[in-house]
Each structure stands twice: as structure tokens, then as C-alpha cells.
Amino acid sequence: MNTCVNFCGINFKNPVITASGTFGSGQEYSQFVDLNRLGGVVTKGVANLPWKGNPTPRVAEVYGGMLNAVGLQNPGIDTFCKRDIPFLQNYDTNIIVNVCGHTTEEYLEVVERLASENVDMLEINISCPNVKEGGIAFGQDPKAVFDITQQIKKIAKQPIIMKLSPNVTDIKEMAKAAEAGGADAVSLINTITGMKIDINRRSFVLANKTGGMSGPAIHPVAVRMVYETASAVNIPIIGMGGIVNYEDAIEMILAGASLVSVGTANFMDPQSTIKIVEGIEDYMRRYNVSDIKELVGAVHER
Amino acid sequence: MNTCVNFCGINFKNPVITASGTFGSGQEYSQFVDLNRLGGVVTKGVANLPWKGNPTPRVAEVYGGMLNAVGLQNPGIDTFCKRDIPFLQNYDTNIIVNVCGHTTEEYLEVVERLASENVDMLEINISCPNVKEGGIAFGQDPKAVFDITQQIKKIAKQPIIMKLSPNVTDIKEMAKAAEAGGADAVSLINTITGMKIDINRRSFVLANKTGGMSGPAIHPVAVRMVYETASAVNIPIIGMGGIVNYEDAIEMILAGASLVSVGTANFMDPQSTIKIVEGIEDYMRRYNVSDIKELVGAVHER
Amino acid sequence: MAIYKEEAIVLSNEKLSEGVYSIVLKTKDIAKEAIAGQFISVYCNDSSRILPRPISLCEIDKKENTIRVVFRTVGKGTNEFAKYEPNTKVTVLGPLGNGYDLSKQYDNVLVIGGGIGIPPMLQLAKNIQGKKQIVVGYRSKNDMFLYEELQKEAEVFVATDDGSYQTNGTVIDAIKENKLKADAVMACGPMPMLKALKEYCQKNEMDCFISLEERMACGIGACLGCVTKTKKKDHHSKVHNARICTEGPVFDAREVEI
Amino acid sequence: MAIYKEEAIVLSNEKLSEGVYSIVLKTKDIAKEAIAGQFISVYCNDSSRILPRPISLCEIDKKENTIRVVFRTVGKGTNEFAKYEPNTKVTVLGPLGNGYDLSKQYDNVLVIGGGIGIPPMLQLAKNIQGKKQIVVGYRSKNDMFLYEELQKEAEVFVATDDGSYQTNGTVIDAIKENKLKADAVMACGPMPMLKALKEYCQKNEMDCFISLEERMACGIGACLGCVTKTKKKDHHSKVHNARICTEGPVFDAREVEI
Ligand SMILES: Cc1cc2nc3c(=O)[nH]c(=O)nc-3n(C[C@H](O)[C@H](O)[C@H](O)COP(=O)(O)OP(=O)(O)OC[C@H]3O[C@@H](n4cnc5c(N)ncnc54)[C@H](O)[C@@H]3O)c2cc1C
Ligand SMILES: Cc1cc2nc3c(=O)[nH]c(=O)nc-3n(C[C@H](O)[C@H](O)[C@H](O)COP(=O)(O)OP(=O)(O)OC[C@H]3O[C@@H](n4cnc5c(N)ncnc54)[C@H](O)[C@@H]3O)c2cc1C
Ligand SMILES: Cc1cc2nc3c(=O)[nH]c(=O)nc-3n(C[C@H](O)[C@H](O)[C@H](O)COP(=O)(O)O)c2cc1C
Ligand SMILES: Cc1cc2nc3c(=O)[nH]c(=O)nc-3n(C[C@H](O)[C@H](O)[C@H](O)COP(=O)(O)O)c2cc1C
Ligand code: FES
Ligand code: FES
């Protein structure tokens, strides 16, 4: 039984990776899961300089999900390279660095800085709904997606994954723009913009007013968008959004994802990732699937 | 204490109405709720001719919500006028007819036919994700929203509410287009397109592949969009999407909705609408709100 | 016919065979009104599952005001129900649907159940006054839930998928093997069985009443989620789409296109 | 310090005063490792609520391997907890956070709790070896949960919002009214109280350790949801944003900008 995935030329021992921003750089969760058993770890978004993020409250629970407006707090690329990459290199797992910026130049600076680092792939976050400049602004217009992809691709030494926003009319257009710009892969979905109001104080629960919604509640939207994207582009897809068990992961793979990212599920159960790895293996055994490849995009009509 | 809402010149005894397609024309739920106690009843979408809708399965449960792809099955405007309007006229509540069509002409035909009927308002569904032609196609492009609004407005005898789709990059643009076209009000959100895959059969759960997601899981997205819309237009708003209790309803009102539609909640508890009416009254008493108007759009920063 | 929303109380929960559970519920009004072939909608206590689950009435005790449901664990909802302890409160809606029409007298009725379609046949068998025989299809010998109870109501013929008990094959095979004759069939079970029965009855000029299943949301006729194609334009839909929850779940097989 | 994810078992659930409940949990490892001022994250059994709730340890019994939490019902999660019967299984993560550092010896410590910040003060009072006095602020006389238990640990001074018991006003008023002197304050309570204490201690040159609260997602330092502004750039964030769940919840008041 083969659970290995060749993704943009890189070998993943299984399709389960973490979702950026929900797993730190792996350190905290390494108390609960053996990182060696994951296909890869996607780090929290990192910028050229330290970002202090948004004021608190930054997180709120909603029915079947949560909102966050962390605002990409990060210690900056220098600390990241000194502390986080070396930590992850202790493990036999792929390192995917999530990159953020306010401007194209800032993205490029981080990508350039990472060229000489021992990391396997870069995930470019053009879909964060929680920052005023940059982030989602790049991800809601196909022309902007194309441009930034192309510029990053010119200097990137590692394969690049463009991370797409679900807050768009047509996800296929965005994915096609990323592909046209030279992206090696796309990942989706980032969070869906939501809002929660405290009816007793009559005020916003999050200091940022809006936040990005994640967790099981968004899973059906994510599956639909991954399916649509798979029909629109030829580059491989990382599927995410509300995956909390192996069933959700298989659903995403059947919809067309080659790898799956597990995010909010870590908060619901710190051992989620490993349970999903094991659940996928069981599923493959039960249905005699000899290679996980057979499942990618294998959904069909009744 | 005044719970009455003057909405486009029509008096609603309270802000609670039903959401189209979830309440039939009131007949079935009248066993559980006294329709006289509702601000209004919004009927299932009706077209110029009978529509047979989509094949089954048409509904599926998802985490905190559901998908539907009923596909606007309806008996056509003739049966509707003969059977459903007279039934609703037995009650002291407003009648809002939800109108659907494949083409502009079909919408116009229904609107024209309703001109002489004793109904209070029309809600124009340009956001159904479950039909191939018409429906959502009209609702994802501001130009199309403007055009159809303008044409309907020319012949409509009742105030018209344009029902907007959440499956767009910028809801404000759509709302503004409706306003520019002469809409008396907008209602939002219709369902968010989602998908569910049966991992054992590896097939789509819904015959239509995709379905519209509704229920508590979509509430934060709906609140955000109502808030954004309220900041963009001057016409009043009907807020809906995942309202299952009075707290959700108040949240929607604070975000900027003058009326609230209750949909999927009816399936979760056939008495939801009345419980929400009572909950709003309790809330107003508790916080000494003498007129519900004071709550509309009253959210503020901490 | 009135429909009630009630908080019913679990009196007992018993495992009948692998994955098959039997729950007896104390109700306020539902048992009083219910007839065989009707169902209830059972709400989950876990609020991530928002839609109620339709489950047929297996027994109705009008004296004790209790109803019994027998179900197979297939997903999250039924697995939740399987864990209910006595005294658990469960919100239910019912009785729903039309049930079997027993006003017409037949010389002999074949009461037919397949798999998890067997439970409603118990109450039906109890209610049929005239001559009747029961035919049931199980997976295998060790899956024969409700068998003894059915035997108390009439002679029971069994078909098993693996041939481990009586007829090897389907309920149709059992009918043929035992040369059963009747002028009506009343059945519930998986779609292939119902299709076969429809055809069999048509050929043999028997009346045939079948209980259909479809995914439901409202359970009371408002959402149009649960339709089945009908031969005639029905009064409600005008488009040959009857609602299983309201016009059904029991249909004259001649009237539906399955 | 290890963090455990465990299925704990409710041994008892008792209502202490209106809306305030006390639950004792049997744990496997958490009690063994925990210190005063740490907290646990309690997962809800209802799966529509996905995030765990942070609740402070009110008592830690290392012999019995139990922990006690005392909480106020304010929303859906705490209302769910309030209904737990003995033997309910609850998934918890802990012990979390740093807890109070008791390595430094003080001549006299004021242990101060306000409202639902009082519970962690019970274990803290038990663990402080030297001289200590307790000051607590309640809403009113009939809300004085844990009062008798605190009295067993040290002399207790009370302030009530409505003046129905002892000092009318805040804990600061009680300190002043009773002319309490100490070289350190260890406190937990609402933000206005913590701010006032920070200022009071600064003026009176006392050490001041306060336990902060913020909405949390992961509870273990990974999501950056729960930060508080710090004076110095902390080693982790590099942006003056310490994580309450990890670097806290107890901070030297001088080090945080509240
Ligand atoms: C009129 C009627 C009577 C029924 N009577 C019985 C009975 O007596 N005993 C029994 O074991 N089962 C019966 N069923 C089937 C039963 O409703 C499903 O097995 C059950 O809903 C599955 O729920 P779940 O949460 O375990 O599965 P999940 O797959 O987790 O359910 C997800 C959703 O799909 C729906 N669903 C899944 N399978 C079915 C199905 N086969 N039919 C309808 N909805 C489905 C659920 O209601 C739920 O909304 C009946 C169905 C109908 C329509
Ligand atoms: C370190 C720490 C220790 C705490 N110790 C205690 C204690 O011992 N006793 C006690 O009664 N309360 C304590 N709290 C507060 C407690 O966490 C909240 O009251 C509780 O989470 C509310 O949950 P809910 O579901 O009832 O409310 P809801 O408002 O329904 O909760 C919705 C979401 O908001 C979060 N939330 C709501 N209020 C708070 C809050 N004040 N702080 C943090 N998150 C919140 C919830 O965790 C949940 O994710 C503590 C908080 C922290 C951060
Ligand atoms: C607390 C939090 C922080 C996040 N931070 C980032 C980030 O830094 N970069 C990014 O690309 N996505 C970020 N995301 C989005 C997730 O990576 C993921 O796309 C999204 O949460 C959907 O997946 P999930 O439902 O499994 O969490 C964050 C999500 C959460 C909940
Ligand atoms: C079963 C079903 C049928 C629906 N049919 C219609 C319809 O005919 N016309 C329409 O405008 N919206 C229709 N909707 C959308 C609802 O009116 C509402 O916009 C949406 O469900 C969100 O609200 P909710 O979460 O409260 O259900 C339907 C929704 C459901 C669940
Ligand atoms: S389930 Fe809604 S009409 Fe049948
Ligand atoms: S709660 Fe996630 S970092 Fe503190």
C-alpha cells in the first residue's frame, strides 16, 4: 500500500500536512504528535520583518467553526530562519514555509531570503482576510494573482504554492491565473470572512470586526472549490478547510486534492493530524486501494 | 415596547419572517406556529410555469448545516395564485412572494401576473445556485443585477426585494447595483455553494453534485455580508442565513437588517420562528429597548 | 391528522444484532395517533447534526403510550441514538407520513420486509386483520433481528443473502420457493427489492404497496427535499413529484416511477 | 513541563451559588504535574462547540489525582458543563500555562481574587508557605462562593460591590480599609481590578503577579490568539506580544501593558 505522494517533484510520505497558522512551526504540537509521521509541516506565515498582528480579541468560536483575526503576527524572517527552520530540520518531514507581505516587494524579499535555506516548498499567502494591505487584496483579482505569481516564480528557488481565497465569485479564474503565472501548485481554501457580534455589549467580538472563518463548518465550501479548481487547472492542489477526520480528508482527495492541510482540527484535538494519517491508511486497506494516487479526483456520479 | 417595522412602507408587526423555500407557503408549518404572529411569510420561489426541480437526493446534512439542490420545484404561478395566496390571506401577516425564472422574460411574466394579486412584496431570487440557467447567473454580475432590477421595477406593482448571492467577491457591489436599478430593498444571503462526497461510494451525495449550504454554519458569513451591505446602500435589508435563535436574529439586526428571515431553523425546530419572536421581545424588555428601530445597525466598536 | 413535536423519553435501548438497535420511547401524543407504516423524525442531541432522522415505527403501544423504533447504525445520527441510555430525552416529530391503508380487505396479504425495512412490518402484521404471511430478507442467519416477534404474528418465510437460513437469495426467491399466493403485497426494504416486487406484482396482478425512502429535511412537506417520481401529476407538486414524507412513504407501486 | 490530553471523569458537580459550579475531575496525569495558577482546557461534548474552554485549577489533589474547577455559567460551554452528572467523561488538556512562581520568599503575600477570579486563589493560598492574607471581591453577600474554604487557609477580607458584606467597594478598598501591608500581591480577577492593583503595587513598591485572560483557540502557544502586550520584546514573538496561554497566564504586572 503506497501512501506516498509526489508533489511538484517532492516526495511526501503521506498526504497529510498542517495548515499555516494553526500549528506554529511544529514545536508546540510536537508534544502530541510525532512530526516524523506527517507528510509535511506548513509554518505560520512569515514576513520580511516582525509583524505585531491585530489587537485582541483575535479569536472567537462560532457554530461548528471559529473566526480568527490574528493578523499574521510573526517574528520576521530572521528569527524564523534562526529558530524555526533548524527546529523542523530535526524531523524527517517536508518543510513548507508560508510567506506573507504587505507589498509585492515584501513577498519577494522573503522568498529571496529563503532561497538559500533548507526548506522544501513555499506557500504564498495571497488570501489573508485579516490585514489591511497585502494579503487578500492580491488574491481577489486574477490579474493581481497572475502578476505576483510570476514575479515570485522568477526568483524562487523552491516550488511555489499559491494559496487562494474562497472569498471570490469564481475560484477557477484565480487558480487559472496562478497557473498561468507559473505556480507549481495551488492550495485552498484560506478562511471565509465572517463576523460575530456580542448582542449584550452590541459590539464586535473581534477587535478587527471581521475574522476568517475556519473549521468543520466551512468544509463543504472547501470541497466544492477544490473540485471546481481540479477541473480548471493542471497543477496539483493542496486541499484544506474544515478537515477534522480522515473522512473529510478522503473527501477532499476524491474532490481533487493531492495533499491535505489540517488546520483548526488541531485546536479541537492536538492529535488530529496523526489520527487522519492512520484513518487514511485504514480506508485504503478497507477498500484495497494500493496507491493513494488512485483516489485523487476519483469522485464520480452515482 | 414597539416591535413593529415599517419596511418599504409596509407595516410588519415584528421583524421575523420566513426564508423562501423552507416554509412552503405556510400551510405545513401552520400546525406548529400561529402564522398571525409572524411579521410575514415568504413563499417558496414561483415561476411562470411549473418546474420539476432536480433529481434526488436533493438534501444532505453537513456539519452545522445542510446542502440543498431542490432546484426550485414549484407548481407554477397559476396554481400558486389559486391555492397558496388564498391560504395565506386567511392570516394577518404580510405575504412576500419569492419569484424565480430562467430568463428575464420569465421573471417579468410572474411579476406581471402578481400585479393584480393581493400580495405585499416580491422577493426576486437572482441567487439560486441550483439551476443551470437563470438564478445565480443573474446575481454574480453587477451589470446583470442592475438590468434585471430595473426591468422588474418598471412593471412591479409591489415593492421589490432583490435577493443576493453570497457567492461573490464583493457583496457591496451587488447591493449597490440593485439599489441603482431601483430595488426597494435587498435580502441576503442566499445559500453558499457547497459539495458533499460519499467516501464509501466515491460519488456525490447530491444528484446535482453541488448544493446550497444553509443553517447555523453560514451565520457568521451572513452577518458580515449584511454589515458590509448596510454600509454600502441606503435601502433597507432583510438579513438571513443561519438564524436559529433570537440571539442570531438580534445579531443580524445589529449588523444592519431591518427584517430577518428564518429558514433552515424551521427544520431544526418547527417552532423556531415563534421562539425567535418571543426571544426578541424578551431581549428588548431586558435592555429597555422601546423601539426595535434602535437596534438596526446599532453595533459599535468596544 | 395531527403532528406533534414532543420530548420523548427513552425507556429502553437494546441491541438486537450487530449494529441493530431497538429503542422504546415514551410519548405524550404520538403513540395515540400513529398507524403502521408511519414514521417519526428523531432529532439528535448533538447540535452539530441539525436535521432530524426519519425512522419508521416498529411498534405502537396505544395503552402504554409508547412507540418502538428499530434501526441500523449507519452514520453519525444512528450511532448517537445507539448510545442512548434509559431516561435520555429525545425530541421527536410525529407521527409522519401516510402509513399503510388497511381499509381494503384482501384474501391474503404478503407482508414483506428486507433488511432494515423489516421493523415497520411488525406493527403492520399486527394490524392486518385478515389472512397474512410474512416474508423477510436478512443478510444472514446471525442477523435475524425481530424474527421471533414476527413469528408471533403470522407464518414467516426467510430469505438470506448468504443462504445461511431457509431460502438462499431474495424475498422474491422465497415467495417462489414457497409458492406463496396472495392478492396484495405490503412491503418495505431496499430499492432493488421494491423494484423487483413492483414488477412481480404487476406480472401477477397483485396490489402492491411499498414504503419508499429519501433524504429528508423538514419531514412535513415544506422543503420538497424528499420527492419521488409519480405516474400522475399529483395535486400538490403539479410536476409528477410526490413528497415521500407527506404523500408517502407508502405508495401504490403502480403510481410511482422507481 | 508536560501537557496531557486526557479523558477525565466527573466525580462531582455542585452548585456553589447562583450560576457558579464546582466540578471535581479524576485525572490520569494532570493533577500530578499541576501547580497553582495553571489552567486546563475543557472540550465540550457537544460538537457544535469546537474550541476548548480555559478554566483555572481551583484545587489540585495530588494524592487522589483529582482537580477541581469552579466556574460561572456565562455561555454555551459553561452551561453545558454545569449540567454534567457524575461519571460524565470530559476531554481536557493540561496543565497549561506557567502558574504562580512561589520560589521567591516574601514576608507577607496578599492573595487577591475578584469574582470568578477567586477559584485559583484557593490552591494558591494552600501552597504559599509563608505569611499570607486573602482579599476577595464578590458581587454581594449571597454570592460568596468558596469563602469558608478560603478561611481555612488564611485570614480573609471581603469587599462586596453592594456593600452587603464587610467593605463596600473593591478589593483595593478592602486593602485600604483594613490597612493591609505586604511585599507582594498575587491576584486573579477582572481587568479593572488587575489594572488598579498594578497601579497600587507600583505606588507602594510591592511585587505584583496577575493572572490574565484572553480568548484562546489552541491553549498551547501555537495559534497566537491569546496575546497580551508586554513591555519588553519577548523571546518568542519579538513584537511585545506574549502568549497568555504559554508565557502566562500569570505575569509580573510590571512586564505587561494592560
Ligand atoms: C421514511 C423513512 C423511514 C425510515 N425508517 C428507518 C428505520 O425504521 N430504521 C432504520 O434503521 N432506518 C430507517 N430509515 C433510514 C434512516 O433514516 C437513516 O439510516 C438515517 O437517517 C441515517 O442517519 P445517520 O445520521 O446515521 O447517517 P448519516 O449518513 O450520518 O446521515 C446524514 C444525513 O443523511 C440522512 N440519511 C442518511 N441515510 C439515509 C437514508 N437511508 N434515508 C433517509 N435519510 C438518510 C440522515 O437523515 C441525515 O440527514 C428510514 C428512512 C426514511 C426516509
Ligand atoms: C486562563 C483562563 C482561566 C480561566 N479560568 C476560569 C475559571 O476558573 N472559572 C471561570 O468561570 N472562568 C474562567 N475563565 C473564563 C472562561 O474561559 C470563560 O468564561 C469560558 O470560556 C466561557 O465559555 P462559554 O462557552 O460559556 O461562553 P461563550 O461566550 O459561549 O464562549 C464562546 C467562546 O468564547 C470563549 N470565551 C468566552 N468568554 C471568555 C473569557 N472570559 N475568557 C476566555 N475565553 C472566553 C470561549 O472559550 C469560547 O471559545 C478563564 C479564562 C482563561 C483565559
Ligand atoms: C488561527 C489561524 C491562523 C492562520 N494563519 C494563517 C497564516 O498565517 N497563513 C495562511 O496562509 N493561512 C492562515 N490560516 C488559514 C489556515 O491555514 C487554513 O487555510 C484555514 O484555517 C482553513 O483550514 P481549517 O478549516 O482546517 O483551519 C490561519 C487559520 C487560523 C485558524
Ligand atoms: C430547502 C431550501 C430551499 C430553498 N429554496 C429557496 C427558494 O425557492 N428561493 C430562494 O430565494 N431561496 C431559497 N432558499 C434559500 C433560503 O431562503 C435562505 O436564503 C438560505 O437557506 C439561508 O438561510 P437559512 O440558513 O436560515 O436557511 C432555500 C433554502 C433551503 C434550505
Ligand atoms: S422532507 Fe421536506 S418535503 Fe419531505
Ligand atoms: S491560545 Fe493559541 S497561542 Fe494561546
Side-chain angles (χ1 to χ4, degrees), chain B residues 267, chain C residues 215-227 243-246:
Chain B
F267 310 153
Chain C
R215 299 201 169 220
M216 297 185 173
C218 71
I220 62 169
C223 75
L224 308 183
C226 68
V227 299
R243 298 163 299 183
I244 290 178
C245 69
T246 307

Side-chain angles (χ1 to χ4, degrees), chain A residues 59-61 196, chain D residues 37 39-40 44 49 51-58 69-79 81 116-117 119-120 188 211-216 244 249:
Chain A
V59 293
E61 190 186 68
K196 185 170 175 177
Chain D
F39 66 97
I40 55 172
C44 296
R49 300 188 265 285
L51 297 178
R53 272 55 179 168
I55 307 281
S56 299
L57 298 176
C58 168
V69 290
V70 171
F71 60 93
R72 191 185 292 282
T73 52
V74 298
K76 289 180 188 154
T78 46
N79 274 301
F81 303 155
I116 203 60
C188 183
S211 180
L212 300 182
E213 246 187 48
E214 189 46 81
R215 298 199 171 222
M216 298 184 172
I244 291 178

Side-chain angles (χ1 to χ4, degrees), chain C residues 53-54 56 70-72 74-78 116 213-215:
Chain C
R53 271 57 178 166
S56 298
V70 170
F71 59 94
R72 192 186 291 285
V74 297
K76 289 180 187 154
T78 46
I116 203 60
E213 249 187 44
E214 189 47 81
R215 299 201 169 220

Side-chain angles (χ1 to χ4, degrees), chain B residues 100-115:
Chain B
C100 58
H102 298 108
T103 61
T104 306
E105 289 64 41
E106 291 185 11
Y107 281 100
L108 293 175
E109 197 180 322
V110 180
V111 171
E112 199 154 18
R113 179 81 171 71
L114 287 166

Side-chain angles (χ1 to χ4, degrees), chain C residues 8-220:
Chain C
I9 296 163
V10 174
L11 295 184
S12 66
N13 183 357
E14 192 193 339
K15 185 172 171 174
L16 300 187
S17 72
E18 200 44 45
V20 178
Y21 292 80
S22 165
I23 286 183
V24 176
L25 292 170
K26 181 90 189 169
T27 71
K28 242 177 100 254
D29 297 296
I30 293 177
K32 283 187 209 145
E33 295 262 348
I35 65 170
Q38 288 191 302
F39 65 99
I40 54 173
S41 264
V42 186
Y43 291 90
C44 296
N45 283 331
D46 186 281
S47 41
S48 71
R49 299 187 266 284
I50 66 161
L51 297 178
R53 271 57 178 166
I55 307 280
S56 298
L57 300 176
C58 168
E59 282 190 273
I60 305 160
D61 187 329
K62 294 187 185 273
K63 254 192 275 148
E64 297 294 322
N65 236 325
T66 60
I67 52 180
R68 178 187 186 192
V69 290
V70 170
F71 59 94
R72 192 186 291 285
T73 52
V74 297
K76 289 180 187 154
T78 46
N79 274 299
E80 177 185 318
F81 303 155
K83 292 199 197 82
Y84 285 170
E85 309 260 335
N87 290 321
T88 303
K89 288 179 186 145
V90 196
T91 305
V92 296
L93 207 61
L96 301 175
N98 56 356
Y100 290 93
D101 179 0
L102 298 182
S103 60
K104 189 165 168 195
Q105 294 291 326
Y106 291 102
D107 288 341
N108 188 24
V109 178
L110 287 185
V111 174
I112 303 182
I116 203 60
I118 292 170
M121 298 300 112
L122 180 57
Q123 185 62 45
L124 179 63
K126 288 186 188 216
N127 289 12
I128 293 174
Q129 297 303 321
K131 199 167 165 270
K132 61 205 161 192
Q133 285 164 310
I134 299 173
V135 190
V136 283
Y138 292 106
R139 290 179 184 171
S140 90
K141 193 178 165 174
N142 45 34
D143 186 44
M144 288 172 54
F145 56 89
L146 295 177
Y147 180 53
E148 283 80 16
E149 297 182 61
L150 288 165
Q151 282 181 311
K152 288 185 202 143
E153 307 306 328
E155 194 180 1
V156 182
F157 302 88
V158 176
T160 47
D161 290 346
D162 63 358
S164 54
Y165 196 83
Q166 293 188 9
T167 303
N168 183 346
T170 68
V171 290
I172 302 266
D173 295 322
I175 295 172
K176 288 181 180 161
E177 190 170 302
N178 296 292
K179 304 203 170 61
L180 304 181
K181 296 266 173 276
D183 48 355
V185 156
M186 298 193 179
C188 184
M191 192 50 97
M193 176 187 112
L194 299 179
K195 280 185 182 164
L197 281 173
K198 176 180 163 141
E199 206 184 319
Y200 182 85
C201 290
Q202 211 145 2
K203 234 190 305 185
N204 294 280
E205 291 183 357
M206 296 156 72
D207 277 0
C208 180
F209 300 94
I210 53 179
S211 180
L212 300 182
E213 249 187 44
E214 189 47 81
R215 299 201 169 220
M216 297 185 173
C218 71
I220 62 169

